[in-house]
Amino acid sequence: MFDKKDKSYPIEVVADFLGVNSRTLYYYEKFSLVVPLRRGRKRYYSKQDIRWLEYVRELMYEQGMNLRSIIVLIKKRDDVILGKCPEEVVDCFKNYLMRIRDLQEY
Amino acid sequence: MFDKKDKSYPIEVVADFLGVNSRTLYYYEKFSLVVPLRRGRKRYYSKQDIRWLEYVRELMYEQGMNLRSIIVLIKKRDDVILGKCPEEVVDCFKNYLMRIRDLQEY
DNA sequence: AAATTATTTTCACTTAAAGTGAAAAATTCA
DNA sequence: TGAATTTTTCACTTTAAGTGAAAATAATTT
């Protein structure tokens, strides 16, 4: 489907590929979940955009995760990328593991 | 509020303490989010129940997490406790960290 | 250039998730 | 015993997450 030479794809193609409604992609964009390139007025999704959306789909369908917490995840990602608080993110997950251990007592 | 000698508390007290509606606690019980002790027909929440619910509240309010994914979290916790797949849980989080790294390319 | 198709935008609506109100019945407490 | 609390259940409300539809616009095809 995706020719290797093609770097980005219009919305209907992507929606089709991911098995979601194109309106859903517009909706997600409202929350900056994914913000595609623009050529003129038309949206073009990069392969990385698509990869990210596949991951989101997995989180939603397999882990039951909601949009809101994924948006929180993006915030954390941004923090990592911006180098704001790498230790803090790692601490979050350490804390998470400790919480799991705590729950053993529950 | 919580006398150290008291080991468990009735629903209204707990709901009040946590700042949630008691009906919410009944609702959560339906999903086995927390299943309090029973003395006769009356529910008694242990201090550990309460701690767990505080954690749940934090996940919901701070991380925007939904009930469904928390229920998935419980499943993972159960797996840890039952010793079903300790490595698998750790792998999940390693995978998670790798995903974060992946997202640096995004 | 004209016709066709796809895209965009926006509003309103639908479905699903997550509660929450209310009331009758039962139980517990003072 | 009477009052207060709890329980249960059904119906409803609010919130979250889409999704339909249509007019306008833009892009593509003929």
Side-chain angles (χ1 to χ4, degrees):
Chain A
M1 189 190 104
F2 294 107
D3 188 332
K4 288 211 177 186
K5 282 178 292 186
D6 289 337
K7 289 287 183 68
S8 54
Y9 311 93
I11 196 162
E12 280 298 335
V13 170
V14 176
D16 224 42
F17 173 70
L18 293 170
V20 301
N21 190 306
S22 59
R23 280 286 296 101
T24 305
L25 297 179
Y26 292 115
Y27 180 71
Y28 288 167
E29 191 180 329
K30 187 169 141 199
F31 301 102
S32 305
L33 187 71
V34 55
V35 185
L37 301 173
R38 292 288 192 127
R39 288 192 208 133
R41 303 289 291 158
K42 196 168 174 179
R43 293 168 171 75
Y44 287 89
Y45 290 78
S46 69
K47 284 167 77 177
Q48 290 186 330
D49 287 338
I50 292 160
R51 230 166 90 237
W52 165 237
L53 286 170
E54 282 184 302
Y55 178 50
V56 165
R57 187 179 56 179
E58 183 191 320
L59 290 176
M60 286 182 170
Y61 292 10
E62 308 298 330
Q63 311 299 327
M65 273 182 86
N66 60 335
L67 181 59
R68 271 179 68 208
S69 62
I70 294 173
I71 287 161
V72 171
L73 176 62
I74 291 180
K75 178 86 179 21
K76 284 189 161 69
R77 182 212 62 184
D78 286 347
D79 289 346
V80 171
I81 290 171
L82 298 177
K84 274 189 190 166
C85 55
E87 286 89 10
E88 195 174 320
V89 172
V90 172
D91 283 350
C92 282
F93 305 129
K94 280 182 183 172
N95 192 42
Y96 184 70
L97 287 174
M98 279 163 59
R99 285 294 176 90
I100 294 279
R101 222 176 277 144
D102 277 357
L103 292 172
Q104 286 179 24
E105 303 168 11
Y106 164 61
Chain B
M1 189 190 108
F2 294 109
D3 189 333
K4 288 208 177 190
K5 282 178 291 186
D6 289 335
K7 288 291 183 71
S8 54
Y9 309 93
I11 196 161
E12 279 300 333
V13 169
V14 176
D16 225 41
F17 173 70
L18 292 169
V20 301
N21 189 306
S22 59
R23 281 288 293 102
T24 305
L25 297 179
Y26 292 115
Y27 181 69
Y28 289 165
E29 190 179 329
K30 187 170 143 201
F31 302 100
S32 304
L33 188 71
V34 56
V35 184
L37 301 173
R38 290 287 190 129
R39 288 195 209 130
R41 303 292 290 159
K42 198 171 175 182
R43 292 167 171 75
Y44 287 88
Y45 290 79
S46 70
K47 285 168 78 180
Q48 291 184 332
D49 288 339
I50 291 159
R51 232 166 87 237
W52 165 239
L53 286 169
E54 282 184 304
Y55 179 51
V56 165
R57 187 180 57 179
E58 184 191 319
L59 291 175
M60 285 181 169
Y61 291 10
E62 309 297 329
Q63 310 299 327
M65 274 182 86
N66 59 337
L67 181 59
R68 269 179 69 208
S69 61
I70 295 174
I71 287 162
V72 172
L73 175 62
I74 292 180
K75 177 94 181 11
K76 286 189 161 67
R77 182 213 62 184
D78 285 347
D79 289 346
V80 170
I81 291 171
L82 298 178
K84 275 189 192 166
C85 55
E87 285 88 11
E88 196 173 320
V89 172
V90 173
D91 283 351
C92 281
F93 305 127
K94 281 183 182 171
N95 193 41
Y96 184 70
L97 286 172
M98 278 162 62
R99 285 294 173 91
I100 294 281
R101 220 176 280 145
D102 277 357
L103 293 172
Q104 286 181 24
E105 305 170 12
Y106 165 61

